[in-house]
Amino acid sequence: MPRPTVHRTFFGLVHGTEVHRFVLDSGTGVRAEILTLGATLHRLTVPDTAGVPGPVLRGLTALGDYTGEHPYVGAVVGRYANRIAHGRFTLDGTDHELPVNDRGHTLHGGPGGFHGKVWDATAERTGDSVSVRLTLHSPDGDMGFPGALDASVTYTLGPSGTLRLGYEAVADRPTVVNLTNHAYFDLAGHGDVLGHLLEVDADAWLPVDADGIPLGPPLPVAGTPFDLTRPRLLKERLAADDGQLRDAGGYDHCWVLRQHGPRTDLRRAARLTAPDAARILEVWTTEPGIQVYTANQLDGTLVDAAGRPMERHGAVCLETQHLPDSPNRPAHPSTVLRPGAPARSRTELRFPHLRAPEPRN
């Protein structure tokens, strides 16, 4: 069997800082490209059931596209993925204010979040897998967050074709952290995901107000358009007469995942199937939630690597993470990070059409 490989190439300059592209190749048809700008998953190619390779996510073309304004395409976002209401939270009796960048709230770490930073990176080989480990130092007060924080994300690819993302963060004083990847998936390469089937392993979800802030505690999905406990056609779900869907223009909501065993165990979060079932993606994670975003705000301004405008519902994001606004909601799983206790999480992108199903943990 061919061995996985990794190689590095120069991608461009950002304010005099070099940006590199790392290519992880499984040797069996799956290939991932990662940029040091934003620790971005730039390309992901996966064979279909006939063995024909093709892209499964939508990425931008050139470095200039990533340095301009864009909706976090493929980037690792932080310090805090999703929204913190009104850019404020209290930790250990101290109030903290953050810059707001989304309807008066802080989204994905603020306007100067991790998605726009150039990360350090090194390639590694472990057994029959190859990886790239990206690291970033965020100083005390960065975007208003307390404490100096060192974050890392490691992308690992082996011959099975599973792409693993391992996140870690350590801080020198109490802070909050919530890291995720913001890839835009389109398994068929049509520039439209309405014909995809989506299943989410969750019995509860978080309704939100018009600004995307949770209205209260999780509610059951049963009897709502948010019931994805079995595969559902996105076109049919998004066409439902529902105020939450109308306000957001589609899905931009967090599902609370079922808990099976210890929180550190991987469990399946979602399964996305192309219209012809030629490609299937399963997302597995240790995180308590998954934000499903059906690219409601894309308006055709951006063009993807294939030269197609990125338009509304042209992709779906499956963002494994802690729940939105958790620093202000004691009932949510805690996102507080304290010195001496690293935050770690794992997410896997599995492609079951390529092999026999992997056992659930």
Side-chain angles (χ1 to χ4, degrees), residues 22 34 43-44 63 65 96 126 138-139 141 153 175 181 184-185 210 212-213 222 230 246-247 256 297 329 341 350 353:
F22 286 79
I34 296 97
R43 301 274 192 276
L44 183 58
L63 182 59
D65 300 320
H96 299 278
T126 305
S138 175
V153 57
T175 189
N181 180 275
Y184 284 71
F185 292 102
I213 303 299
R230 62 180 178 85
R246 286 195 299 272
D247 286 347
V256 182
Q297 302 304 315
R329 302 186 184 245
R350 300 182 180 183
H353 67 280

mmCIF file of all heavy atoms in Angstrom, residues 22 34 43-44 63 65 96 126 138-139 141 153 175 181 184-185 210 212-213 222 230 246-247 256 297 329 341 350 353:
data_model
loop_
_atom_site.group_PDB
_atom_site.id
_atom_site.type_symbol
_atom_site.label_atom_id
_atom_site.label_comp_id
_atom_site.label_asym_id
_atom_site.label_seq_id
_atom_site.Cartn_x
_atom_site.Cartn_y
_atom_site.Cartn_z
ATOM 1 N N PHE A 22 0.672 23.251 3.226
ATOM 2 C CA PHE A 22 1.071 21.870 3.491
ATOM 3 C C PHE A 22 0.083 20.942 2.793
ATOM 4 O O PHE A 22 -1.135 21.134 2.908
ATOM 5 C CB PHE A 22 1.070 21.576 4.993
ATOM 6 C CG PHE A 22 2.233 22.193 5.729
ATOM 7 C CD1 PHE A 22 2.216 23.539 6.063
ATOM 8 C CD2 PHE A 22 3.338 21.430 6.076
ATOM 9 C CE1 PHE A 22 3.284 24.114 6.741
ATOM 10 C CE2 PHE A 22 4.406 21.995 6.753
ATOM 11 C CZ PHE A 22 4.378 23.342 7.090
ATOM 12 N N ILE A 34 -3.505 22.473 3.658
ATOM 13 C CA ILE A 34 -3.684 23.349 4.808
ATOM 14 C C ILE A 34 -2.786 24.557 4.657
ATOM 15 O O ILE A 34 -1.591 24.428 4.337
ATOM 16 C CB ILE A 34 -3.370 22.602 6.128
ATOM 17 C CG1 ILE A 34 -4.357 21.458 6.360
ATOM 18 C CG2 ILE A 34 -3.403 23.553 7.308
ATOM 19 C CD1 ILE A 34 -3.848 20.115 5.925
ATOM 20 N N ARG A 43 -8.099 22.880 0.805
ATOM 21 C CA ARG A 43 -8.646 21.917 -0.145
ATOM 22 C C ARG A 43 -8.809 20.579 0.570
ATOM 23 O O ARG A 43 -8.017 20.223 1.437
ATOM 24 C CB ARG A 43 -7.708 21.691 -1.343
ATOM 25 C CG ARG A 43 -7.384 22.929 -2.156
ATOM 26 C CD ARG A 43 -8.425 23.188 -3.228
ATOM 27 N NE ARG A 43 -7.947 24.205 -4.149
ATOM 28 C CZ ARG A 43 -8.053 25.515 -3.956
ATOM 29 N NH1 ARG A 43 -8.611 25.969 -2.850
ATOM 30 N NH2 ARG A 43 -7.595 26.378 -4.855
ATOM 31 N N LEU A 44 -9.805 19.807 0.156
ATOM 32 C CA LEU A 44 -9.948 18.431 0.609
ATOM 33 C C LEU A 44 -10.546 17.645 -0.546
ATOM 34 O O LEU A 44 -11.673 17.915 -0.984
ATOM 35 C CB LEU A 44 -10.846 18.343 1.848
ATOM 36 C CG LEU A 44 -11.010 16.945 2.457
ATOM 37 C CD1 LEU A 44 -9.664 16.343 2.843
ATOM 38 C CD2 LEU A 44 -11.935 16.996 3.679
ATOM 39 N N LEU A 63 -4.080 33.711 -2.214
ATOM 40 C CA LEU A 63 -3.872 34.270 -0.885
ATOM 41 C C LEU A 63 -4.648 35.564 -0.698
ATOM 42 O O LEU A 63 -5.206 35.822 0.382
ATOM 43 C CB LEU A 63 -2.373 34.509 -0.659
ATOM 44 C CG LEU A 63 -1.976 35.048 0.712
ATOM 45 C CD1 LEU A 63 -2.413 34.092 1.808
ATOM 46 C CD2 LEU A 63 -0.470 35.293 0.764
ATOM 47 N N ASP A 65 -7.490 36.313 -1.750
ATOM 48 C CA ASP A 65 -8.888 36.034 -1.421
ATOM 49 C C ASP A 65 -9.056 35.777 0.071
ATOM 50 O O ASP A 65 -10.091 36.113 0.663
ATOM 51 C CB ASP A 65 -9.373 34.806 -2.200
ATOM 52 C CG ASP A 65 -9.281 34.993 -3.702
ATOM 53 O OD1 ASP A 65 -9.589 36.111 -4.174
ATOM 54 O OD2 ASP A 65 -8.899 34.047 -4.406
ATOM 55 N N HIS A 96 -15.276 41.532 31.405
ATOM 56 C CA HIS A 96 -14.423 41.663 30.221
ATOM 57 C C HIS A 96 -15.266 42.129 29.041
ATOM 58 O O HIS A 96 -16.385 41.644 28.848
ATOM 59 C CB HIS A 96 -13.753 40.327 29.887
ATOM 60 C CG HIS A 96 -12.873 39.819 30.986
ATOM 61 N ND1 HIS A 96 -11.586 40.260 31.171
ATOM 62 C CD2 HIS A 96 -13.110 38.905 31.970
ATOM 63 C CE1 HIS A 96 -11.058 39.645 32.210
ATOM 64 N NE2 HIS A 96 -11.958 38.817 32.710
ATOM 65 N N THR A 126 3.964 9.941 11.992
ATOM 66 C CA THR A 126 3.820 9.018 13.107
ATOM 67 C C THR A 126 3.242 7.717 12.570
ATOM 68 O O THR A 126 2.084 7.690 12.123
ATOM 69 C CB THR A 126 2.892 9.584 14.195
ATOM 70 O OG1 THR A 126 3.386 10.865 14.611
ATOM 71 C CG2 THR A 126 2.834 8.649 15.400
ATOM 72 N N SER A 138 -1.427 33.826 21.413
ATOM 73 C CA SER A 138 -2.355 34.947 21.537
ATOM 74 C C SER A 138 -2.033 35.666 22.846
ATOM 75 O O SER A 138 -2.204 35.093 23.922
ATOM 76 C CB SER A 138 -3.798 34.425 21.547
ATOM 77 O OG SER A 138 -4.724 35.476 21.771
ATOM 78 N N PRO A 139 -1.570 36.918 22.798
ATOM 79 C CA PRO A 139 -1.136 37.594 24.021
ATOM 80 C C PRO A 139 -2.295 37.983 24.931
ATOM 81 O O PRO A 139 -3.454 38.024 24.510
ATOM 82 C CB PRO A 139 -0.405 38.832 23.495
ATOM 83 C CG PRO A 139 -1.015 39.089 22.156
ATOM 84 C CD PRO A 139 -1.356 37.740 21.588
ATOM 85 N N GLY A 141 -4.975 39.979 26.608
ATOM 86 C CA GLY A 141 -5.734 41.119 26.110
ATOM 87 C C GLY A 141 -6.066 41.074 24.633
ATOM 88 O O GLY A 141 -6.761 41.972 24.121
ATOM 89 N N VAL A 153 -3.512 23.354 16.538
ATOM 90 C CA VAL A 153 -4.398 22.421 15.845
ATOM 91 C C VAL A 153 -3.518 21.522 14.987
ATOM 92 O O VAL A 153 -2.601 22.002 14.309
ATOM 93 C CB VAL A 153 -5.462 23.146 14.993
ATOM 94 C CG1 VAL A 153 -4.826 24.075 13.972
ATOM 95 C CG2 VAL A 153 -6.367 22.135 14.281
ATOM 96 N N THR A 175 -9.246 32.105 31.405
ATOM 97 C CA THR A 175 -9.814 32.715 30.207
ATOM 98 C C THR A 175 -10.904 31.785 29.685
ATOM 99 O O THR A 175 -11.284 30.816 30.345
ATOM 100 C CB THR A 175 -8.722 32.975 29.146
ATOM 101 O OG1 THR A 175 -9.266 33.764 28.081
ATOM 102 C CG2 THR A 175 -8.142 31.682 28.599
ATOM 103 N N ASN A 181 -13.267 24.452 13.287
ATOM 104 C CA ASN A 181 -12.920 24.698 11.889
ATOM 105 C C ASN A 181 -14.186 25.072 11.123
ATOM 106 O O ASN A 181 -15.252 24.498 11.353
ATOM 107 C CB ASN A 181 -12.282 23.464 11.257
ATOM 108 C CG ASN A 181 -11.905 23.701 9.805
ATOM 109 O OD1 ASN A 181 -12.732 23.542 8.917
ATOM 110 N ND2 ASN A 181 -10.673 24.112 9.567
ATOM 111 N N TYR A 184 -16.528 24.803 4.461
ATOM 112 C CA TYR A 184 -17.796 24.840 3.725
ATOM 113 C C TYR A 184 -17.869 23.591 2.843
ATOM 114 O O TYR A 184 -17.201 23.508 1.812
ATOM 115 C CB TYR A 184 -17.866 26.096 2.863
ATOM 116 C CG TYR A 184 -18.168 27.365 3.630
ATOM 117 C CD1 TYR A 184 -17.222 27.944 4.479
ATOM 118 C CD2 TYR A 184 -19.408 27.996 3.515
ATOM 119 C CE1 TYR A 184 -17.496 29.104 5.184
ATOM 120 C CE2 TYR A 184 -19.694 29.165 4.205
ATOM 121 C CZ TYR A 184 -18.737 29.714 5.035
ATOM 122 O OH TYR A 184 -19.015 30.863 5.736
ATOM 123 N N PHE A 185 -18.711 22.637 3.213
ATOM 124 C CA PHE A 185 -18.771 21.358 2.525
ATOM 125 C C PHE A 185 -19.793 21.365 1.390
ATOM 126 O O PHE A 185 -20.890 21.909 1.510
ATOM 127 C CB PHE A 185 -19.119 20.235 3.505
ATOM 128 C CG PHE A 185 -18.041 19.956 4.511
ATOM 129 C CD1 PHE A 185 -18.145 20.434 5.814
ATOM 130 C CD2 PHE A 185 -16.907 19.248 4.147
ATOM 131 C CE1 PHE A 185 -17.146 20.193 6.731
ATOM 132 C CE2 PHE A 185 -15.899 19.013 5.064
ATOM 133 C CZ PHE A 185 -16.020 19.489 6.363
ATOM 134 N N ALA A 210 -33.033 37.059 16.722
ATOM 135 C CA ALA A 210 -32.699 37.516 15.368
ATOM 136 C C ALA A 210 -31.217 37.808 15.188
ATOM 137 O O ALA A 210 -30.733 37.905 14.055
ATOM 138 C CB ALA A 210 -33.515 38.761 15.031
ATOM 139 N N GLY A 212 -28.869 35.751 16.508
ATOM 140 C CA GLY A 212 -28.145 34.498 16.642
ATOM 141 C C GLY A 212 -27.746 34.149 18.061
ATOM 142 O O GLY A 212 -26.935 33.236 18.273
ATOM 143 N N ILE A 213 -28.314 34.835 19.067
ATOM 144 C CA ILE A 213 -28.010 34.583 20.468
ATOM 145 C C ILE A 213 -29.069 33.635 21.037
ATOM 146 O O ILE A 213 -30.270 33.845 20.816
ATOM 147 C CB ILE A 213 -27.994 35.897 21.278
ATOM 148 C CG1 ILE A 213 -26.983 36.882 20.671
ATOM 149 C CG2 ILE A 213 -27.690 35.626 22.740
ATOM 150 C CD1 ILE A 213 -25.552 36.391 20.672
ATOM 151 N N ALA A 222 -37.935 17.216 18.300
ATOM 152 C CA ALA A 222 -39.106 16.470 17.829
ATOM 153 C C ALA A 222 -40.220 17.422 17.409
ATOM 154 O O ALA A 222 -40.543 18.387 18.113
ATOM 155 C CB ALA A 222 -39.610 15.537 18.926
ATOM 156 N N ARG A 230 -32.960 11.452 11.721
ATOM 157 C CA ARG A 230 -32.770 10.539 10.597
ATOM 158 C C ARG A 230 -32.432 11.387 9.385
ATOM 159 O O ARG A 230 -32.657 12.610 9.385
ATOM 160 C CB ARG A 230 -34.009 9.678 10.343
ATOM 161 C CG ARG A 230 -35.270 10.422 9.979
ATOM 162 C CD ARG A 230 -36.423 9.450 9.764
ATOM 163 N NE ARG A 230 -37.689 10.098 9.454
ATOM 164 C CZ ARG A 230 -38.075 10.469 8.243
ATOM 165 N NH1 ARG A 230 -37.260 10.267 7.210
ATOM 166 N NH2 ARG A 230 -39.247 11.038 8.057
ATOM 167 N N ARG A 246 -36.741 31.411 8.871
ATOM 168 C CA ARG A 246 -36.922 32.668 8.142
ATOM 169 C C ARG A 246 -35.940 33.719 8.637
ATOM 170 O O ARG A 246 -35.311 34.426 7.839
ATOM 171 C CB ARG A 246 -38.360 33.172 8.287
ATOM 172 C CG ARG A 246 -39.376 32.397 7.466
ATOM 173 C CD ARG A 246 -40.696 33.158 7.376
ATOM 174 N NE ARG A 246 -41.289 33.365 8.708
ATOM 175 C CZ ARG A 246 -42.097 32.495 9.312
ATOM 176 N NH1 ARG A 246 -42.391 31.344 8.704
ATOM 177 N NH2 ARG A 246 -42.604 32.759 10.501
ATOM 178 N N ASP A 247 -35.799 33.843 9.943
ATOM 179 C CA ASP A 247 -34.917 34.875 10.491
ATOM 180 C C ASP A 247 -33.471 34.653 10.080
ATOM 181 O O ASP A 247 -32.737 35.603 9.791
ATOM 182 C CB ASP A 247 -35.009 34.896 12.020
ATOM 183 C CG ASP A 247 -36.310 35.513 12.520
ATOM 184 O OD1 ASP A 247 -37.020 36.131 11.707
ATOM 185 O OD2 ASP A 247 -36.611 35.372 13.723
ATOM 186 N N VAL A 256 -27.361 20.183 20.338
ATOM 187 C CA VAL A 256 -26.703 19.628 21.518
ATOM 188 C C VAL A 256 -26.599 18.121 21.313
ATOM 189 O O VAL A 256 -27.613 17.411 21.258
ATOM 190 C CB VAL A 256 -27.489 19.950 22.799
ATOM 191 C CG1 VAL A 256 -26.761 19.391 24.024
ATOM 192 C CG2 VAL A 256 -27.687 21.458 22.935
ATOM 193 N N GLN A 297 -25.621 33.525 4.168
ATOM 194 C CA GLN A 297 -25.209 34.887 3.847
ATOM 195 C C GLN A 297 -24.348 34.982 2.595
ATOM 196 O O GLN A 297 -23.987 36.091 2.191
ATOM 197 C CB GLN A 297 -24.454 35.482 5.042
ATOM 198 C CG GLN A 297 -25.251 35.507 6.339
ATOM 199 C CD GLN A 297 -26.571 36.238 6.190
ATOM 200 O OE1 GLN A 297 -26.635 37.323 5.609
ATOM 201 N NE2 GLN A 297 -27.641 35.640 6.713
ATOM 202 N N ARG A 329 -23.553 31.725 30.308
ATOM 203 C CA ARG A 329 -24.623 30.767 30.576
ATOM 204 C C ARG A 329 -24.076 29.616 31.430
ATOM 205 O O ARG A 329 -23.551 28.628 30.905
ATOM 206 C CB ARG A 329 -25.212 30.259 29.268
ATOM 207 C CG ARG A 329 -25.741 31.457 28.447
ATOM 208 C CD ARG A 329 -26.449 31.116 27.227
ATOM 209 N NE ARG A 329 -26.799 32.348 26.524
ATOM 210 C CZ ARG A 329 -28.030 32.775 26.324
ATOM 211 N NH1 ARG A 329 -29.058 32.072 26.761
ATOM 212 N NH2 ARG A 329 -28.256 33.911 25.675
ATOM 213 N N ALA A 341 -4.347 23.284 33.257
ATOM 214 C CA ALA A 341 -5.368 22.323 32.818
ATOM 215 C C ALA A 341 -5.653 22.567 31.337
ATOM 216 O O ALA A 341 -6.576 23.302 30.985
ATOM 217 C CB ALA A 341 -6.650 22.466 33.640
ATOM 218 N N ARG A 350 -14.709 11.563 8.572
ATOM 219 C CA ARG A 350 -14.626 10.190 8.075
ATOM 220 C C ARG A 350 -15.457 10.058 6.796
ATOM 221 O O ARG A 350 -16.488 10.722 6.642
ATOM 222 C CB ARG A 350 -15.137 9.200 9.118
ATOM 223 C CG ARG A 350 -14.375 9.225 10.439
ATOM 224 C CD ARG A 350 -14.923 8.179 11.406
ATOM 225 N NE ARG A 350 -14.220 8.174 12.694
ATOM 226 C CZ ARG A 350 -14.474 7.330 13.683
ATOM 227 N NH1 ARG A 350 -15.428 6.397 13.533
ATOM 228 N NH2 ARG A 350 -13.809 7.395 14.817
ATOM 229 N N HIS A 353 -17.964 5.714 2.768
ATOM 230 C CA HIS A 353 -18.122 5.073 1.464
ATOM 231 C C HIS A 353 -16.800 4.507 0.947
ATOM 232 O O HIS A 353 -16.792 3.720 -0.008
ATOM 233 C CB HIS A 353 -18.702 6.063 0.446
ATOM 234 C CG HIS A 353 -17.778 7.190 0.093
ATOM 235 N ND1 HIS A 353 -17.624 8.298 0.896
ATOM 236 C CD2 HIS A 353 -16.953 7.385 -0.976
ATOM 237 C CE1 HIS A 353 -16.756 9.119 0.341
ATOM 238 N NE2 HIS A 353 -16.327 8.586 -0.796
#
